[in-house]
Amino acid sequence: MPIDKDSSAASMDMSTDVLDGSTTMHRLHDHPNGPVSSSPATSQAISNNVAGKDPSDNTPTGQVHDGRAVYFESIEERVVESTKAYPQTSAVSSADMAALQCYRAFELPSRSIKACYIDNFFRYCYPWLPVVEPIWLRETPTQKPSILLLQAVLLAGSRVTTPNDINASVELYARCKALFFSNYEQNPVIRIITCLLMRWWNPAGPDRVCMDSSHFWISTGVSIAVAIGLHEDSAAHAKDASYRRRLWWSAVVSNQLVAVTSSC
Amino acid sequence: MPLLTPRDFTRETQNRAASSIAYFSISRIFADVGKSYRRKQMTMTKIEQLKNNLYTWVRELPQELRLFHPQIDHGPNSYNFESRQIHVIYFVVLILLLRPSTSSSSTSAGSLLAASFVAALYEEFLIRGEIDHLGPAVHKFYLMTAGITLLSVRRNPLLASEVSKDFRVIIKALKQFSERYPSAMGTIRTLEQLEASQVQSPESSQYLLQLQPEARALFREFGPELCRLWHLLEVSPSTHDQLTDPDRRVATQRMDHPLGSSNMASTMPLAFQSNQGGTADGFVCSGEIYDPTIATVADDLDFFGPYSWSELPNATAWVLKDTPFDIGGDHTLS
């Protein structure tokens, strides 16, 4: 769905992105191929931050600031204009889209299997990774859940479901990986959550170097978290402070556990 | 970044907040232990600090997450899957903290007792079909740590029977775990190799170091119903003589009172006592276990180890430290 420039321009205030979707997604740059395309799912994720409503009702798309708009804050003002210094090359290429179709990245299991995996995720995975709100996975007339987030939750849920359907998990992992590296999902918070959820895949132990291991994914997630300033607990992020704390500590603890037990 | 509190959870997930917070706390303690050992930064002061943190953690657990009823003689609490998973981490930390401080061919009674508790918890997971529902694959590390400790005294004739049962539980849990996480097969192979190496081990490896008074406090919240080796806490002097290395034997301070007795406080070493006040036991009980400034980005990201294949350290090296299976390296604490 094309983004209305006029309406999005009014929301391009990085200090108050209440009505914005992902701040990285909605920046319109002079890109050789035109405006940065956004995934249909996240572009429909309109913030529901109506006064009095539980902030958790917001999808993570509207909750975290990208605080890295400038190189040197002392030289240039931290405004959205500074993000246009050079084109942002994060569009999904036609080749990536073809690959995603090949991986069936947008397909979901049957309703009953999907419900089972999600239920098991919240029953067995959530206490150790309290970073996904149930409402973010629900489809409403105004909002579709992020396909990357949904596939990652299904992957984690599949890993704690009996009987063990390893083929289903293999397919879900492949979809998550393809979606992640295609930049289809550009919201950094969802990408961090996905990295943490990939812990439940972990095909190799510390005796092997593996690019699909939990260590690889958690390291990637922590890198993104630091890049968006998740480790900072400043007044500018007071609105989202609780969720930021949960996400940061989940990343930290996951990283430390994997580091200690995997010798990496 | 401030620590998590229940207020950081939403209405819909508020009932899971306690488990998450307890899990994060004990995981941080575990990570602190592992990091200190791996960087050769574990000191006696650090060990005492970690023991104090552990004691605070287990004493401040919410009622629904405790393993045993507050009145220990009432036995275990109702089965709670999440509670047992976080207690696995607690006992694994005990295994690591209570082992000998210097290289020794003996095993610590406290470590062995904690390993037996780990086996008991996994036995419960097995019988309830919950191995498949466990958290991420880090559980193979917990099983390996407990298995190594149990193996170290398997040749002790007074302990062989119970230890063997516990060890079989560890292997069974690993085998079932490996059906979902094949990397656990590497852990099974490691334990089997260690078991085979025991045939050539000297007889002194079967001895136990006595349980120190301050270590007993760390088992205070538990009772005898779960653990096969609970009797190690109540060993008689004659049995003690048979269990311990005759060259390292010291006078045993016989426990004439149950663990819940206030007499415990008088045996608490100064390292466990706080000048800031606290409970009648002299422990500092507060919600803040960690100094928030510890949680710095540099500190956490420092876990990114070397990327060269030749530099990848042996995963089990620091776990084997100060066990009868440790065959090299600097064993002394700084």
Side-chain angles (χ1 to χ4, degrees):
Chain A
M1 187 172 83
I3 300 169
D4 184 339
K5 271 199 174 182
D6 291 336
S7 63
S8 61
S11 65
M12 285 180 139
D13 178 347
M14 295 183 73
S15 63
T16 53
D17 64 343
V18 169
L19 299 179
D20 196 33
S22 164
T23 57
T24 54
M25 180 186 72
H26 279 108
R27 290 188 206 120
L28 296 178
H29 302 291
D30 294 328
H31 193 274
N33 296 332
V36 173
S37 64
S38 59
S39 64
T42 50
S43 65
Q44 292 177 32
I46 300 170
S47 167
N48 292 321
N49 194 17
V50 176
K53 201 160 184 179
D54 190 331
S56 70
D57 290 342
N58 299 335
T59 65
T61 55
Q63 289 198 1
V64 178
H65 296 269
D66 177 356
R68 297 281 295 268
V70 299
Y71 277 104
F72 301 104
E73 195 171 7
S74 60
I75 296 177
E76 54 180 327
E77 195 177 351
R78 191 184 290 264
V79 294
V80 75
E81 287 300 314
S82 56
T83 69
K84 297 181 180 178
Y86 52 93
Q88 186 162 318
T89 56
S90 56
V92 181
S93 68
S94 55
D96 283 336
M97 194 55 83
L100 289 175
Q101 297 292 347
C102 184
Y103 279 108
R104 303 194 296 169
F106 304 106
E107 291 185 20
L108 296 172
S110 67
R111 192 210 65 81
S112 55
I113 293 176
K114 187 177 113 180
C116 178
Y117 285 171
I118 291 176
D119 284 348
N120 282 342
F121 167 79
F122 283 104
R123 185 177 301 130
Y124 299 119
C125 304
Y126 181 85
W128 324 128
L129 205 62
V131 297
V132 179
E133 295 301 322
I135 197 170
W136 296 347
L137 304 177
R138 294 175 197 151
E139 188 167 334
T140 67
T142 55
Q143 175 176 306
K144 288 180 69 174
S146 161
I147 188 64
L148 175 58
L149 177 64
L150 191 51
Q151 299 283 25
V153 168
L154 294 176
L155 168 66
S158 74
R159 299 293 282 150
V160 293
T161 295
T162 305
N164 178 24
D165 186 349
I166 189 65
N167 293 328
S169 299
V170 167
E171 197 160 8
L172 285 165
Y173 176 76
R175 292 174 187 174
C176 289
K177 194 174 174 182
L179 282 165
F180 186 91
F181 286 115
S182 71
N183 289 328
Y184 186 85
E185 176 56 69
Q186 297 184 22
N187 186 298
V189 171
I190 293 179
R191 293 167 75 103
I192 294 169
I193 296 171
T194 299
C195 288
L196 299 183
L197 289 173
M198 298 291 232
R199 254 184 95 185
W200 265 272
W201 177 239
N202 201 44
D207 53 335
R208 294 182 191 173
V209 179
C210 177
M211 299 302 117
D212 298 304
S213 68
S214 52
H215 174 254
F216 173 87
W217 285 108
I218 291 172
S219 301
T220 303
V222 170
S223 296
I224 301 172
V226 172
I228 67 169
L230 196 64
H231 57 291
E232 296 173 351
D233 188 45
S234 68
H237 304 141
K239 179 168 68 77
D240 313 313
S242 290
Y243 181 74
R244 289 172 67 87
R245 268 195 289 278
R246 272 191 285 142
L247 186 57
W248 173 248
W249 279 110
S250 296
V252 166
V253 168
S254 299
N255 184 51
Q256 291 187 335
L257 284 178
V258 166
V260 164
T261 60
S262 301
S263 81
C264 295
Chain B
M1 177 71 79
L3 298 175
L4 284 179
T5 68
R7 287 189 300 275
D8 293 320
F9 290 77
T10 62
R11 286 193 299 266
E12 200 167 359
T13 56
Q14 187 61 223
N15 59 340
R16 317 302 293 280
S19 298
S20 298
I21 292 170
Y23 168 72
F24 284 175
S25 297
I26 193 62
S27 294
R28 288 278 291 172
I29 297 175
F30 170 64
D32 204 356
V33 170
K35 187 168 64 173
S36 300
Y37 272 119
R38 290 190 57 197
R39 295 179 179 178
K40 296 181 169 54
Q41 294 171 349
M42 189 61 88
T43 63
M44 293 307 299
T45 304
K46 181 73 174 176
I47 288 177
E48 297 306 323
Q49 175 203 333
L50 288 166
K51 285 178 183 175
N52 203 36
N53 290 343
L54 269 185
Y55 183 83
T56 305
W57 180 86
V58 75
R59 291 275 290 177
E60 293 190 338
L61 270 181
Q63 176 57 35
E64 66 272 18
L65 291 180
R66 288 175 176 245
L67 212 55
F68 278 77
H69 195 275
Q71 290 175 272
I72 302 298
D73 54 357
H74 285 194
N77 261 342
S78 304
Y79 182 83
N80 181 312
F81 185 40
E82 289 167 15
S83 164
R84 271 144 174 80
Q85 290 186 74
I86 61 177
H87 275 90
V88 164
I89 307 174
Y90 175 82
F91 287 118
V92 168
V93 175
L94 279 187
I95 291 173
L96 297 169
L97 285 183
L98 296 180
R99 56 190 184 179
S101 57
T102 57
S103 176
S104 167
S105 56
S106 303
T107 300
S108 155
S111 292
L112 185 62
L113 184 57
S116 186
F117 265 106
V118 170
L121 293 175
Y122 279 100
E123 191 168 30
E124 287 191 311
F125 297 151
L126 278 167
I127 196 63
R128 291 171 186 267
E130 287 184 323
I131 292 285
D132 290 340
H133 302 147
L134 288 174
V138 69
H139 279 269
K140 62 178 185 287
F141 179 89
Y142 302 147
L143 287 161
M144 179 186 70
T145 305
I148 288 170
T149 305
L150 291 167
L151 270 180
S152 62
V153 293
R154 266 188 72 177
R155 295 180 63 209
N156 187 307
L158 288 180
L159 302 170
S161 175
E162 291 117 334
V163 167
S164 289
K165 289 174 187 168
D166 280 341
F167 186 71
R168 280 201 293 275
V169 168
I170 297 291
I171 294 296
K172 188 175 179 183
L174 275 168
K175 284 182 177 172
Q176 186 162 337
F177 200 67
S178 69
E179 292 174 10
R180 198 168 285 259
Y181 296 99
S183 56
M185 287 191 274
T187 310
I188 297 171
R189 187 174 64 247
T190 298
L191 289 176
E192 289 173 344
Q193 286 173 342
L194 290 173
E195 186 179 16
S197 73
Q198 269 196 312
V199 176
Q200 290 85 31
S201 63
E203 285 190 359
S204 58
S205 65
Q206 63 184 304
Y207 290 117
L208 287 184
L209 296 179
Q210 68 175 93
L211 194 61
Q212 297 302 314
E214 63 270 21
R216 292 172 183 270
L218 296 165
F219 293 97
R220 179 178 172 166
E221 301 301 316
F222 313 106
E225 287 83 355
L226 275 182
C227 174
R228 284 189 178 88
L229 294 177
W230 183 260
H231 58 83
L232 288 178
L233 280 172
E234 299 157 356
V235 67
S236 64
S238 58
T239 306
H240 169 262
D241 287 347
Q242 295 176 60
L243 285 172
T244 54
D245 184 346
D247 294 332
R248 300 170 67 88
R249 202 167 291 157
V250 297
T252 307
Q253 187 172 0
R254 178 81 186 278
M255 293 300 296
D256 295 320
H257 301 277
L259 284 176
S261 166
S262 60
N263 286 322
M264 283 293 299
S266 62
T267 66
M268 211 61 61
L270 283 174
F272 271 54
Q273 295 174 16
S274 167
N275 294 326
Q276 299 169 8
T279 67
D281 301 324
F283 281 72
V284 176
C285 284
S286 74
E288 297 289 331
I289 295 179
Y290 288 100
D291 177 354
T293 59
I294 291 177
T296 61
V297 171
D299 187 47
D300 297 329
L301 295 183
D302 208 15
F303 267 107
F304 284 87
Y307 295 94
S308 162
W309 175 252
S310 61
E311 292 175 321
L312 285 174
N314 180 353
T316 59
W318 70 276
V319 178
L320 292 176
K321 182 184 178 304
D322 297 330
T323 69
F325 302 105
D326 189 4
I327 58 174
D330 181 6
H331 304 302
T332 57
L333 293 174
S334 54

